[in-house]
Amino acid sequence: MSTVEPQTVKTRFCILSDTHSQPPLPESSTDHAYRQPLPAAHVLLHAGDLTMTGRVSEYQQMLNTFRHADAELKIVIAGNHDITLDESFYGEIGGSLFHLGKQEDVTKVREMWTGWEAKQAGIVYLEEGTRTFHLRNGAKFTIYTSPYQPAYETWAFNYQRSTDRFNPGATAPNPVPSWPEIDIMLTHGPPYNVLDTTWQDEQVGCEHLARAVQRCRPRLHCFGHIHEGWGAERANWAKQSIEEIEIDRASVSAQRSSYLDLSESGSALKFGEETLFVNAAIMNKRYRPSNAPWVVDLDLPFVATAKVHSMLDV
C-alpha cells in the first residue's frame, strides 16, 4: 500500500556569527547562553568573523568548536576579520598591516577549512555563490552565501558602498537568484535597515543587499557583523512590513539559545511571503560573548530518502 510523502520536513538550524575565536564558555557559566555544549541541530550556520585577525591558532579554536558541535552539516563563511581567507587582501595589504612580525600561510589556512579533516567533521566552507544540500532527514535546501560587506575601515572582503554586487548587472560577479531559487541566505553583513543599527545610531547595512533579499524572498537570512544588531525580525513581503521578534530573556540562558519554531508545529513561515532575518553576532560591541546563539525550526522541501545519495549536491 503506497503512502503519500510529506512535502516538507521540520529541520533545525543553530545559527552563530562573530565569535571572534571565542569557543563556547564552560557549561558551568549559566549566566551566559553561549556555553558548552552548543544546541543540537541538523545544520549549524556561522556567518563569519570566526577570528580577530585570521591567525591559524584562532581558526583552530573555532574548528575544534565545530568538530564537537552536534550537527550533521556545519556551513561556514568568512567575515571581514578573517583576513587570511581573503588571499588578495592579505597579500596586498592585510599581511603587512596586521601580521608584520609573522605572516600566516594562506594555503594552510584554506586547507584547514576545506581539507579532509574539516569534511570528516561535516564542516563546509563556502565562498560567494549558491549551493544545494541534502540532509539525512530528507530535507533539501539551496543556500546563497557571501562574506562581503560595504567598505569598513581597512579589513577583508570590502566593496565600495556604491557597488552593487548582489543584483544582476556588470558589478555583480555572483548575483543573488530570484525567488523561489533560494531557501537560505547567509551573508556576513546585514541588509540596510534590518538589524544593522550601531551604537552610534547609524544604519550601516547594504542597500543593494536589501533589494536582493526582497527579490529573493528566502525563508531565512542570517548575518552578523553589527554586534549591537543582535536579534531577529520577521518580514511580510506582501504587506511590506517587518516585525521584531520578542524573546523570553529568562529562558535564553537555560536553553543556551534564543529559540523560534517557524515550522507547522509552531508559527509556520510562509515561503515566498515571509522571511526571517537573524543577526546572530555572539559578541557585543565590547567583544564579550554576551549574545545567544539562535535555534530556528523551519519546514524544508522533502526528498525521499532513497533519492538522497550525498549530503552535497555538486
Side-chain angles (χ1 to χ4, degrees):
M1 178 176 172
S2 63
T3 59
V4 178
E5 295 177 345
Q7 293 183 336
T8 61
V9 59
K10 185 174 180 177
T11 304
R12 177 162 293 182
F13 293 84
C14 177
I15 310 163
L16 308 168
S17 187
D18 295 79
T19 47
H20 291 286
S21 74
Q22 172 67 60
L25 297 170
E27 189 173 0
S28 58
S29 300
T30 54
D31 56 336
H32 287 79
Y34 182 59
R35 66 182 191 276
Q36 299 175 355
L38 288 174
H42 295 96
V43 182
L44 184 148
L45 300 172
H46 194 295
D49 275 4
L50 299 151
T51 66
M52 289 298 291
T53 63
R55 287 291 190 187
V56 166
S57 59
E58 294 180 298
Y59 290 124
Q60 193 62 58
Q61 287 269 37
M62 296 317 302
L63 279 166
N64 291 341
T65 294
F66 296 149
R67 285 193 187 102
H68 291 98
D70 185 359
E72 172 186 345
L73 173 63
K74 302 144 188 182
I75 298 177
V76 177
I77 66 171
N80 57 291
H81 280 254
D82 305 318
I83 62 174
T84 42
L85 286 167
D86 187 345
E87 295 174 15
S88 61
F89 168 80
Y90 191 70
E92 294 170 8
I93 303 172
S96 58
L97 183 63
F98 292 97
H99 297 165
L100 185 59
K102 179 182 179 296
Q103 295 197 11
E104 299 288 4
D105 181 344
V106 294
T107 302
K108 178 180 179 180
V109 167
R110 185 161 294 273
E111 175 66 19
M112 291 175 74
W113 289 103
T114 62
W116 182 84
E117 290 188 12
K119 291 176 181 177
Q120 285 295 106
I123 298 168
V124 179
Y125 173 76
L126 294 179
E127 299 182 271
E128 189 174 72
T130 62
R131 188 81 169 268
T132 298
F133 295 90
H134 291 92
L135 302 175
R136 288 194 289 265
N137 69 347
K140 175 186 176 182
F141 68 92
T142 300
I143 188 169
Y144 175 88
T145 55
S146 177
Y148 292 92
Q149 72 284 309
Y152 177 70
E153 298 180 353
T154 309
W155 288 100
F157 299 105
N158 276 345
Y159 59 87
Q160 293 303 310
R161 187 169 286 276
S162 60
T163 300
D164 183 357
R165 68 178 300 120
F166 298 112
N167 296 286
T171 61
N174 300 288
V176 177
S178 297
W179 186 81
E181 298 301 317
I182 301 297
D183 297 291
I184 297 166
M185 289 179 64
L186 181 67
T187 62
H188 182 56
Y192 179 74
N193 201 29
V194 181
L195 303 168
D196 67 334
T197 305
T198 70
W199 65 274
Q200 296 171 310
D201 202 31
E202 296 176 330
Q203 292 176 308
V204 296
C206 178
E207 294 181 359
H208 305 296
L209 180 58
R211 289 194 295 110
V213 176
Q214 187 168 2
R215 179 172 49 78
C216 178
R217 288 179 281 160
R219 304 171 196 272
L220 174 65
H221 182 191
C222 309
F223 46 86
H225 189 46
I226 307 304
H227 298 185
E228 310 93 292
W230 180 93
E233 294 181 344
R234 186 171 183 169
N236 185 303
W237 299 115
K239 296 179 180 178
Q240 289 292 295
S241 63
I242 192 161
E243 174 189 3
E244 182 180 356
I245 302 292
E246 297 292 335
I247 293 295
D248 178 10
R249 296 275 179 173
S251 66
V252 168
S253 291
Q255 296 176 159
R256 305 191 310 284
S257 66
S258 298
Y259 171 65
L260 297 174
D261 185 357
L262 300 188
S263 71
E264 287 186 1
S265 60
S267 178
L269 185 140
K270 298 176 182 177
F271 182 42
E273 298 181 24
E274 297 179 293
T275 294
L276 177 69
F277 292 100
V278 172
N279 181 326
I282 292 298
M283 295 294 188
N284 64 16
K285 66 184 181 67
R286 298 181 182 276
Y287 286 81
R288 294 171 181 164
S290 62
N291 295 330
W294 286 88
V295 171
V296 178
D297 286 339
L298 290 174
D299 293 319
L300 292 180
F302 178 84
V303 178
T305 304
K307 299 176 185 176
V308 178
H309 302 292
S310 172
M311 183 176 70
L312 307 183
D313 189 14
V314 180

